[in-house]
mmCIF file with all atom_site columns, all heavy atoms in Angstrom:
data_model
loop_
_atom_site.group_PDB
_atom_site.id
_atom_site.type_symbol
_atom_site.label_atom_id
_atom_site.label_alt_id
_atom_site.label_comp_id
_atom_site.label_asym_id
_atom_site.label_entity_id
_atom_site.label_seq_id
_atom_site.pdbx_PDB_ins_code
_atom_site.Cartn_x
_atom_site.Cartn_y
_atom_site.Cartn_z
_atom_site.occupancy
_atom_site.B_iso_or_equiv
_atom_site.pdbx_formal_charge
_atom_site.auth_seq_id
_atom_site.auth_comp_id
_atom_site.auth_asym_id
_atom_site.auth_atom_id
_atom_site.pdbx_PDB_model_num
ATOM 1   N N   . VAL C 1 154 ? 7.992  23.782 -5.279  1.00 93.00 ? 154 VAL C N   1
ATOM 2   C CA  . VAL C 1 154 ? 8.724  24.900 -4.654  1.00 93.00 ? 154 VAL C CA  1
ATOM 3   C C   . VAL C 1 154 ? 8.487  24.855 -3.136  1.00 93.00 ? 154 VAL C C   1
ATOM 4   O O   . VAL C 1 154 ? 9.422  25.006 -2.336  1.00 93.00 ? 154 VAL C O   1
ATOM 5   C CB  . VAL C 1 154 ? 8.279  26.254 -5.248  1.00 93.00 ? 154 VAL C CB  1
ATOM 6   C CG1 . VAL C 1 154 ? 8.818  27.420 -4.441  1.00 93.00 ? 154 VAL C CG1 1
ATOM 7   C CG2 . VAL C 1 154 ? 8.738  26.364 -6.702  1.00 93.00 ? 154 VAL C CG2 1
ATOM 8   N N   . ALA C 1 155 ? 7.239  24.618 -2.727  1.00 92.00 ? 155 ALA C N   1
ATOM 9   C CA  . ALA C 1 155 ? 6.919  24.555 -1.288  1.00 92.00 ? 155 ALA C CA  1
ATOM 10  C C   . ALA C 1 155 ? 7.701  23.414 -0.631  1.00 92.00 ? 155 ALA C C   1
ATOM 11  O O   . ALA C 1 155 ? 8.222  23.574 0.484   1.00 92.00 ? 155 ALA C O   1
ATOM 12  C CB  . ALA C 1 155 ? 5.420  24.360 -1.095  1.00 92.00 ? 155 ALA C CB  1
ATOM 13  N N   . GLN C 1 156 ? 7.810  22.266 -1.322  1.00 88.00 ? 156 GLN C N   1
ATOM 14  C CA  . GLN C 1 156 ? 8.569  21.124 -0.770  1.00 88.00 ? 156 GLN C CA  1
ATOM 15  C C   . GLN C 1 156 ? 10.036 21.494 -0.583  1.00 88.00 ? 156 GLN C C   1
ATOM 16  O O   . GLN C 1 156 ? 10.631 21.204 0.450   1.00 88.00 ? 156 GLN C O   1
ATOM 17  C CB  . GLN C 1 156 ? 8.533  19.940 -1.738  1.00 88.00 ? 156 GLN C CB  1
ATOM 18  C CG  . GLN C 1 156 ? 7.474  18.913 -1.422  1.00 88.00 ? 156 GLN C CG  1
ATOM 19  C CD  . GLN C 1 156 ? 7.325  17.907 -2.559  1.00 88.00 ? 156 GLN C CD  1
ATOM 20  O OE1 . GLN C 1 156 ? 8.086  17.910 -3.532  1.00 88.00 ? 156 GLN C OE1 1
ATOM 21  N NE2 . GLN C 1 156 ? 6.328  17.055 -2.445  1.00 88.00 ? 156 GLN C NE2 1
ATOM 22  N N   . TYR C 1 157 ? 10.621 22.138 -1.613  1.00 88.00 ? 157 TYR C N   1
ATOM 23  C CA  . TYR C 1 157 ? 12.030 22.541 -1.508  1.00 88.00 ? 157 TYR C CA  1
ATOM 24  C C   . TYR C 1 157 ? 12.207 23.492 -0.321  1.00 88.00 ? 157 TYR C C   1
ATOM 25  O O   . TYR C 1 157 ? 13.157 23.374 0.444   1.00 88.00 ? 157 TYR C O   1
ATOM 26  C CB  . TYR C 1 157 ? 12.515 23.205 -2.807  1.00 88.00 ? 157 TYR C CB  1
ATOM 27  C CG  . TYR C 1 157 ? 12.804 22.232 -3.925  1.00 88.00 ? 157 TYR C CG  1
ATOM 28  C CD1 . TYR C 1 157 ? 12.337 22.457 -5.216  1.00 88.00 ? 157 TYR C CD1 1
ATOM 29  C CD2 . TYR C 1 157 ? 13.571 21.087 -3.705  1.00 88.00 ? 157 TYR C CD2 1
ATOM 30  C CE1 . TYR C 1 157 ? 12.603 21.568 -6.254  1.00 88.00 ? 157 TYR C CE1 1
ATOM 31  C CE2 . TYR C 1 157 ? 13.845 20.186 -4.735  1.00 88.00 ? 157 TYR C CE2 1
ATOM 32  C CZ  . TYR C 1 157 ? 13.359 20.431 -6.008  1.00 88.00 ? 157 TYR C CZ  1
ATOM 33  O OH  . TYR C 1 157 ? 13.626 19.549 -7.018  1.00 88.00 ? 157 TYR C OH  1
ATOM 34  N N   . HIS C 1 158 ? 11.250 24.424 -0.165  1.00 90.00 ? 158 HIS C N   1
ATOM 35  C CA  . HIS C 1 158 ? 11.361 25.371 0.956   1.00 90.00 ? 158 HIS C CA  1
ATOM 36  C C   . HIS C 1 158 ? 11.319 24.643 2.297   1.00 90.00 ? 158 HIS C C   1
ATOM 37  O O   . HIS C 1 158 ? 12.081 24.945 3.202   1.00 90.00 ? 158 HIS C O   1
ATOM 38  C CB  . HIS C 1 158 ? 10.255 26.430 0.876   1.00 90.00 ? 158 HIS C CB  1
ATOM 39  C CG  . HIS C 1 158 ? 10.553 27.453 -0.178  1.00 90.00 ? 158 HIS C CG  1
ATOM 40  N ND1 . HIS C 1 158 ? 9.690  28.478 -0.497  1.00 90.00 ? 158 HIS C ND1 1
ATOM 41  C CD2 . HIS C 1 158 ? 11.610 27.592 -1.012  1.00 90.00 ? 158 HIS C CD2 1
ATOM 42  C CE1 . HIS C 1 158 ? 10.219 29.204 -1.478  1.00 90.00 ? 158 HIS C CE1 1
ATOM 43  N NE2 . HIS C 1 158 ? 11.376 28.679 -1.801  1.00 90.00 ? 158 HIS C NE2 1
ATOM 44  N N   . GLU C 1 159 ? 10.419 23.624 2.388   1.00 90.00 ? 159 GLU C N   1
ATOM 45  C CA  . GLU C 1 159 ? 10.341 22.834 3.632   1.00 90.00 ? 159 GLU C CA  1
ATOM 46  C C   . GLU C 1 159 ? 11.667 22.153 3.933   1.00 90.00 ? 159 GLU C C   1
ATOM 47  O O   . GLU C 1 159 ? 12.038 21.967 5.085   1.00 90.00 ? 159 GLU C O   1
ATOM 48  C CB  . GLU C 1 159 ? 9.257  21.757 3.514   1.00 90.00 ? 159 GLU C CB  1
ATOM 49  C CG  . GLU C 1 159 ? 7.897  22.235 3.960   1.00 90.00 ? 159 GLU C CG  1
ATOM 50  C CD  . GLU C 1 159 ? 6.804  21.246 3.562   1.00 90.00 ? 159 GLU C CD  1
ATOM 51  O OE1 . GLU C 1 159 ? 7.075  20.034 3.529   1.00 90.00 ? 159 GLU C OE1 1
ATOM 52  O OE2 . GLU C 1 159 ? 5.691  21.718 3.268   1.00 90.00 ? 159 GLU C OE2 1
ATOM 53  N N   . GLN C 1 160 ? 12.378 21.747 2.850   1.00 85.00 ? 160 GLN C N   1
ATOM 54  C CA  . GLN C 1 160 ? 13.685 21.081 3.043   1.00 85.00 ? 160 GLN C CA  1
ATOM 55  C C   . GLN C 1 160 ? 14.804 22.099 3.299   1.00 85.00 ? 160 GLN C C   1
ATOM 56  O O   . GLN C 1 160 ? 15.959 21.735 3.451   1.00 85.00 ? 160 GLN C O   1
ATOM 57  C CB  . GLN C 1 160 ? 14.072 20.292 1.790   1.00 85.00 ? 160 GLN C CB  1
ATOM 58  C CG  . GLN C 1 160 ? 13.197 19.096 1.480   1.00 85.00 ? 160 GLN C CG  1
ATOM 59  C CD  . GLN C 1 160 ? 13.433 18.566 0.058   1.00 85.00 ? 160 GLN C CD  1
ATOM 60  O OE1 . GLN C 1 160 ? 14.387 18.928 -0.614  1.00 85.00 ? 160 GLN C OE1 1
ATOM 61  N NE2 . GLN C 1 160 ? 12.532 17.708 -0.393  1.00 85.00 ? 160 GLN C NE2 1
ATOM 62  N N   . GLY C 1 161 ? 14.447 23.395 3.271   1.00 87.00 ? 161 GLY C N   1
ATOM 63  C CA  . GLY C 1 161 ? 15.443 24.438 3.500   1.00 87.00 ? 161 GLY C CA  1
ATOM 64  C C   . GLY C 1 161 ? 16.221 24.804 2.251   1.00 87.00 ? 161 GLY C C   1
ATOM 65  O O   . GLY C 1 161 ? 17.282 25.409 2.329   1.00 87.00 ? 161 GLY C O   1
ATOM 66  N N   . THR C 1 162 ? 15.683 24.424 1.054   1.00 84.00 ? 162 THR C N   1
ATOM 67  C CA  . THR C 1 162 ? 16.375 24.734 -0.198  1.00 84.00 ? 162 THR C CA  1
ATOM 68  C C   . THR C 1 162 ? 15.622 25.849 -0.913  1.00 84.00 ? 162 THR C C   1
ATOM 69  O O   . THR C 1 162 ? 14.397 25.770 -1.062  1.00 84.00 ? 162 THR C O   1
ATOM 70  C CB  . THR C 1 162 ? 16.369 23.493 -1.145  1.00 84.00 ? 162 THR C CB  1
ATOM 71  O OG1 . THR C 1 162 ? 16.781 22.370 -0.393  1.00 84.00 ? 162 THR C OG1 1
ATOM 72  C CG2 . THR C 1 162 ? 17.251 23.687 -2.356  1.00 84.00 ? 162 THR C CG2 1
ATOM 73  N N   . HIS C 1 163 ? 16.357 26.870 -1.358  1.00 87.00 ? 163 HIS C N   1
ATOM 74  C CA  . HIS C 1 163 ? 15.681 27.927 -2.112  1.00 87.00 ? 163 HIS C CA  1
ATOM 75  C C   . HIS C 1 163 ? 15.413 27.426 -3.526  1.00 87.00 ? 163 HIS C C   1
ATOM 76  O O   . HIS C 1 163 ? 16.257 26.784 -4.140  1.00 87.00 ? 163 HIS C O   1
ATOM 77  C CB  . HIS C 1 163 ? 16.534 29.194 -2.164  1.00 87.00 ? 163 HIS C CB  1
ATOM 78  C CG  . HIS C 1 163 ? 15.969 30.181 -3.148  1.00 87.00 ? 163 HIS C CG  1
ATOM 79  N ND1 . HIS C 1 163 ? 14.842 30.927 -2.863  1.00 87.00 ? 163 HIS C ND1 1
ATOM 80  C CD2 . HIS C 1 163 ? 16.330 30.481 -4.418  1.00 87.00 ? 163 HIS C CD2 1
ATOM 81  C CE1 . HIS C 1 163 ? 14.543 31.663 -3.934  1.00 87.00 ? 163 HIS C CE1 1
ATOM 82  N NE2 . HIS C 1 163 ? 15.441 31.410 -4.880  1.00 87.00 ? 163 HIS C NE2 1
ATOM 83  N N   . ALA C 1 164 ? 14.222 27.690 -4.053  1.00 90.00 ? 164 ALA C N   1
ATOM 84  C CA  . ALA C 1 164 ? 13.929 27.265 -5.421  1.00 90.00 ? 164 ALA C CA  1
ATOM 85  C C   . ALA C 1 164 ? 13.126 28.354 -6.114  1.00 90.00 ? 164 ALA C C   1
ATOM 86  O O   . ALA C 1 164 ? 12.188 28.914 -5.530  1.00 90.00 ? 164 ALA C O   1
ATOM 87  C CB  . ALA C 1 164 ? 13.139 25.967 -5.396  1.00 90.00 ? 164 ALA C CB  1
ATOM 88  N N   . ASP C 1 165 ? 13.494 28.659 -7.346  1.00 94.00 ? 165 ASP C N   1
ATOM 89  C CA  . ASP C 1 165 ? 12.805 29.688 -8.110  1.00 94.00 ? 165 ASP C CA  1
ATOM 90  C C   . ASP C 1 165 ? 11.644 29.040 -8.881  1.00 94.00 ? 165 ASP C C   1
ATOM 91  O O   . ASP C 1 165 ? 11.843 28.046 -9.593  1.00 94.00 ? 165 ASP C O   1
ATOM 92  C CB  . ASP C 1 165 ? 13.806 30.324 -9.091  1.00 94.00 ? 165 ASP C CB  1
ATOM 93  C CG  . ASP C 1 165 ? 13.139 31.359 -9.960  1.00 94.00 ? 165 ASP C CG  1
ATOM 94  O OD1 . ASP C 1 165 ? 12.904 32.465 -9.452  1.00 94.00 ? 165 ASP C OD1 1
ATOM 95  O OD2 . ASP C 1 165 ? 12.819 31.040 -11.131 1.00 94.00 ? 165 ASP C OD2 1
ATOM 96  N N   . TYR C 1 166 ? 10.439 29.602 -8.724  1.00 96.00 ? 166 TYR C N   1
ATOM 97  C CA  . TYR C 1 166 ? 9.240  29.006 -9.322  1.00 96.00 ? 166 TYR C CA  1
ATOM 98  C C   . TYR C 1 166 ? 9.405  28.758 -10.818 1.00 96.00 ? 166 TYR C C   1
ATOM 99  O O   . TYR C 1 166 ? 9.097  27.677 -11.331 1.00 96.00 ? 166 TYR C O   1
ATOM 100 C CB  . TYR C 1 166 ? 8.028  29.907 -9.047  1.00 96.00 ? 166 TYR C CB  1
ATOM 101 C CG  . TYR C 1 166 ? 6.803  29.524 -9.849  1.00 96.00 ? 166 TYR C CG  1
ATOM 102 C CD1 . TYR C 1 166 ? 6.013  28.443 -9.464  1.00 96.00 ? 166 TYR C CD1 1
ATOM 103 C CD2 . TYR C 1 166 ? 6.450  30.227 -11.003 1.00 96.00 ? 166 TYR C CD2 1
ATOM 104 C CE1 . TYR C 1 166 ? 4.909  28.066 -10.220 1.00 96.00 ? 166 TYR C CE1 1
ATOM 105 C CE2 . TYR C 1 166 ? 5.351  29.863 -11.753 1.00 96.00 ? 166 TYR C CE2 1
ATOM 106 C CZ  . TYR C 1 166 ? 4.581  28.784 -11.361 1.00 96.00 ? 166 TYR C CZ  1
ATOM 107 O OH  . TYR C 1 166 ? 3.495  28.413 -12.104 1.00 96.00 ? 166 TYR C OH  1
ATOM 108 N N   . GLN C 1 167 ? 9.908  29.782 -11.552 1.00 97.00 ? 167 GLN C N   1
ATOM 109 C CA  . GLN C 1 167 ? 10.002 29.658 -13.016 1.00 97.00 ? 167 GLN C CA  1
ATOM 110 C C   . GLN C 1 167 ? 10.977 28.550 -13.424 1.00 97.00 ? 167 GLN C C   1
ATOM 111 O O   . GLN C 1 167 ? 10.700 27.779 -14.349 1.00 97.00 ? 167 GLN C O   1
ATOM 112 C CB  . GLN C 1 167 ? 10.443 31.010 -13.603 1.00 97.00 ? 167 GLN C CB  1
ATOM 113 C CG  . GLN C 1 167 ? 9.963  31.255 -15.025 1.00 97.00 ? 167 GLN C CG  1
ATOM 114 C CD  . GLN C 1 167 ? 8.442  31.130 -15.180 1.00 97.00 ? 167 GLN C CD  1
ATOM 115 O OE1 . GLN C 1 167 ? 7.692  31.574 -14.312 1.00 97.00 ? 167 GLN C OE1 1
ATOM 116 N NE2 . GLN C 1 167 ? 7.985  30.498 -16.258 1.00 97.00 ? 167 GLN C NE2 1
ATOM 117 N N   . VAL C 1 168 ? 12.097 28.442 -12.679 1.00 96.00 ? 168 VAL C N   1
ATOM 118 C CA  . VAL C 1 168 ? 13.104 27.405 -12.973 1.00 96.00 ? 168 VAL C CA  1
ATOM 119 C C   . VAL C 1 168 ? 12.502 26.026 -12.711 1.00 96.00 ? 168 VAL C C   1
ATOM 120 O O   . VAL C 1 168 ? 12.648 25.088 -13.508 1.00 96.00 ? 168 VAL C O   1
ATOM 121 C CB  . VAL C 1 168 ? 14.378 27.626 -12.104 1.00 96.00 ? 168 VAL C CB  1
ATOM 122 C CG1 . VAL C 1 168 ? 15.361 26.474 -12.252 1.00 96.00 ? 168 VAL C CG1 1
ATOM 123 C CG2 . VAL C 1 168 ? 15.048 28.950 -12.470 1.00 96.00 ? 168 VAL C CG2 1
ATOM 124 N N   . VAL C 1 169 ? 11.784 25.909 -11.581 1.00 94.00 ? 169 VAL C N   1
ATOM 125 C CA  . VAL C 1 169 ? 11.165 24.618 -11.220 1.00 94.00 ? 169 VAL C CA  1
ATOM 126 C C   . VAL C 1 169 ? 10.119 24.237 -12.267 1.00 94.00 ? 169 VAL C C   1
ATOM 127 O O   . VAL C 1 169 ? 10.048 23.092 -12.713 1.00 94.00 ? 169 VAL C O   1
ATOM 128 C CB  . VAL C 1 169 ? 10.536 24.691 -9.798  1.00 94.00 ? 169 VAL C CB  1
ATOM 129 C CG1 . VAL C 1 169 ? 9.675  23.469 -9.500  1.00 94.00 ? 169 VAL C CG1 1
ATOM 130 C CG2 . VAL C 1 169 ? 11.638 24.823 -8.744  1.00 94.00 ? 169 VAL C CG2 1
ATOM 131 N N   . LEU C 1 170 ? 9.321  25.229 -12.698 1.00 96.00 ? 170 LEU C N   1
ATOM 132 C CA  . LEU C 1 170 ? 8.263  24.960 -13.694 1.00 96.00 ? 170 LEU C CA  1
ATOM 133 C C   . LEU C 1 170 ? 8.874  24.443 -15.002 1.00 96.00 ? 170 LEU C C   1
ATOM 134 O O   . LEU C 1 170 ? 8.406  23.444 -15.561 1.00 96.00 ? 170 LEU C O   1
ATOM 135 C CB  . LEU C 1 170 ? 7.455  26.235 -13.944 1.00 96.00 ? 170 LEU C CB  1
ATOM 136 C CG  . LEU C 1 170 ? 6.351  26.143 -15.000 1.00 96.00 ? 170 LEU C CG  1
ATOM 137 C CD1 . LEU C 1 170 ? 5.267  25.139 -14.589 1.00 96.00 ? 170 LEU C CD1 1
ATOM 138 C CD2 . LEU C 1 170 ? 5.698  27.511 -15.255 1.00 96.00 ? 170 LEU C CD2 1
ATOM 139 N N   . GLU C 1 171 ? 9.936  25.086 -15.468 1.00 96.00 ? 171 GLU C N   1
ATOM 140 C CA  . GLU C 1 171 ? 10.565 24.658 -16.734 1.00 96.00 ? 171 GLU C CA  1
ATOM 141 C C   . GLU C 1 171 ? 11.168 23.267 -16.591 1.00 96.00 ? 171 GLU C C   1
ATOM 142 O O   . GLU C 1 171 ? 11.030 22.426 -17.488 1.00 96.00 ? 171 GLU C O   1
ATOM 143 C CB  . GLU C 1 171 ? 11.647 25.674 -17.171 1.00 96.00 ? 171 GLU C CB  1
ATOM 144 C CG  . GLU C 1 171 ? 11.099 27.025 -17.622 1.00 96.00 ? 171 GLU C CG  1
ATOM 145 C CD  . GLU C 1 171 ? 9.911  26.917 -18.590 1.00 96.00 ? 171 GLU C CD  1
ATOM 146 O OE1 . GLU C 1 171 ? 9.980  26.103 -19.523 1.00 96.00 ? 171 GLU C OE1 1
ATOM 147 O OE2 . GLU C 1 171 ? 8.906  27.633 -18.381 1.00 96.00 ? 171 GLU C OE2 1
ATOM 148 N N   . ALA C 1 172 ? 11.835 23.001 -15.442 1.00 93.00 ? 172 ALA C N   1
ATOM 149 C CA  . ALA C 1 172 ? 12.469 21.687 -15.226 1.00 93.00 ? 172 ALA C CA  1
ATOM 150 C C   . ALA C 1 172 ? 11.406 20.589 -15.180 1.00 93.00 ? 172 ALA C C   1
ATOM 151 O O   . ALA C 1 172 ? 11.583 19.497 -15.733 1.00 93.00 ? 172 ALA C O   1
ATOM 152 C CB  . ALA C 1 172 ? 13.273 21.696 -13.925 1.00 93.00 ? 172 ALA C CB  1
ATOM 153 N N   . LEU C 1 173 ? 10.290 20.920 -14.546 1.00 93.00 ? 173 LEU C N   1
ATOM 154 C CA  . LEU C 1 173 ? 9.202  19.943 -14.409 1.00 93.00 ? 173 LEU C CA  1
ATOM 155 C C   . LEU C 1 173 ? 8.584  19.619 -15.776 1.00 93.00 ? 173 LEU C C   1
ATOM 156 O O   . LEU C 1 173 ? 8.342  18.453 -16.112 1.00 93.00 ? 173 LEU C O   1
ATOM 157 C CB  . LEU C 1 173 ? 8.188  20.569 -13.466 1.00 93.00 ? 173 LEU C CB  1
ATOM 158 C CG  . LEU C 1 173 ? 7.039  19.796 -12.898 1.00 93.00 ? 173 LEU C CG  1
ATOM 159 C CD1 . LEU C 1 173 ? 6.929  20.074 -11.410 1.00 93.00 ? 173 LEU C CD1 1
ATOM 160 C CD2 . LEU C 1 173 ? 5.777  20.240 -13.565 1.00 93.00 ? 173 LEU C CD2 1
ATOM 161 N N   . LYS C 1 174 ? 8.419  20.653 -16.609 1.00 95.00 ? 174 LYS C N   1
ATOM 162 C CA  . LYS C 1 174 ? 7.848  20.428 -17.944 1.00 95.00 ? 174 LYS C CA  1
ATOM 163 C C   . LYS C 1 174 ? 8.803  19.584 -18.784 1.00 95.00 ? 174 LYS C C   1
ATOM 164 O O   . LYS C 1 174 ? 8.378  18.697 -19.526 1.00 95.00 ? 174 LYS C O   1
ATOM 165 C CB  . LYS C 1 174 ? 7.587  21.767 -18.652 1.00 95.00 ? 174 LYS C CB  1
ATOM 166 C CG  . LYS C 1 174 ? 6.344  22.484 -18.142 1.00 95.00 ? 174 LYS C CG  1
ATOM 167 C CD  . LYS C 1 174 ? 6.149  23.735 -18.962 1.00 95.00 ? 174 LYS C CD  1
ATOM 168 C CE  . LYS C 1 174 ? 4.933  24.528 -18.558 1.00 95.00 ? 174 LYS C CE  1
ATOM 169 N NZ  . LYS C 1 174 ? 4.898  25.855 -19.189 1.00 95.00 ? 174 LYS C NZ  1
ATOM 170 N N   . ALA C 1 175 ? 10.126 19.852 -18.648 1.00 93.00 ? 175 ALA C N   1
ATOM 171 C CA  . ALA C 1 175 ? 11.110 19.098 -19.425 1.00 93.00 ? 175 ALA C CA  1
ATOM 172 C C   . ALA C 1 175 ? 11.091 17.630 -18.997 1.00 93.00 ? 175 ALA C C   1
ATOM 173 O O   . ALA C 1 175 ? 11.143 16.709 -19.830 1.00 93.00 ? 175 ALA C O   1
ATOM 174 C CB  . ALA C 1 175 ? 12.501 19.691 -19.221 1.00 93.00 ? 175 ALA C CB  1
ATOM 175 N N   . ARG C 1 176 ? 10.982 17.388 -17.678 1.00 91.00 ? 176 ARG C N   1
ATOM 176 C CA  . ARG C 1 176 ? 10.978 16.016 -17.160 1.00 91.00 ? 176 ARG C CA  1
ATOM 177 C C   . ARG C 1 176 ? 9.698  15.297 -17.581 1.00 91.00 ? 176 ARG C C   1
ATOM 178 O O   . ARG C 1 176 ? 9.727  14.136 -17.987 1.00 91.00 ? 176 ARG C O   1
ATOM 179 C CB  . ARG C 1 176 ? 11.112 16.053 -15.634 1.00 91.00 ? 176 ARG C CB  1
ATOM 180 C CG  . ARG C 1 176 ? 11.620 14.774 -15.032 1.00 91.00 ? 176 ARG C CG  1
ATOM 181 C CD  . ARG C 1 176 ? 12.537 15.036 -13.856 1.00 91.00 ? 176 ARG C CD  1
ATOM 182 N NE  . ARG C 1 176 ? 11.895 15.687 -12.728 1.00 91.00 ? 176 ARG C NE  1
ATOM 183 C CZ  . ARG C 1 176 ? 11.312 15.028 -11.716 1.00 91.00 ? 176 ARG C CZ  1
ATOM 184 N NH1 . ARG C 1 176 ? 11.272 13.715 -11.721 1.00 91.00 ? 176 ARG C NH1 1
ATOM 185 N NH2 . ARG C 1 176 ? 10.802 15.686 -10.705 1.00 91.00 ? 176 ARG C NH2 1
ATOM 186 N N   . ASP C 1 177 ? 8.556  15.999 -17.522 1.00 93.00 ? 177 ASP C N   1
ATOM 187 C CA  . ASP C 1 177 ? 7.279  15.410 -17.980 1.00 93.00 ? 177 ASP C CA  1
ATOM 188 C C   . ASP C 1 177 ? 7.408  14.962 -19.426 1.00 93.00 ? 177 ASP C C   1
ATOM 189 O O   . ASP C 1 177 ? 6.963  13.881 -19.793 1.00 93.00 ? 177 ASP C O   1
ATOM 190 C CB  . ASP C 1 177 ? 6.164  16.465 -17.996 1.00 93.00 ? 177 ASP C CB  1
ATOM 191 C CG  . ASP C 1 177 ? 5.605  16.763 -16.630 1.00 93.00 ? 177 ASP C CG  1
ATOM 192 O OD1 . ASP C 1 177 ? 6.029  16.130 -15.660 1.00 93.00 ? 177 ASP C OD1 1
ATOM 193 O OD2 . ASP C 1 177 ? 4.732  17.658 -16.554 1.00 93.00 ? 177 ASP C OD2 1
#
Side-chain angles (χ1 to χ4, degrees):
V154 169
Q156 263 169 6
Y157 283 133
H158 284 177
E159 271 168 32
Q160 293 166 13
T162 312
H163 169 75
D165 177 77
Y166 169 78
Q167 208 55 40
V168 173
V169 170
L170 177 63
E171 291 314 315
L173 190 134
K174 283 183 179 169
R176 201 143 64 91
D177 282 357

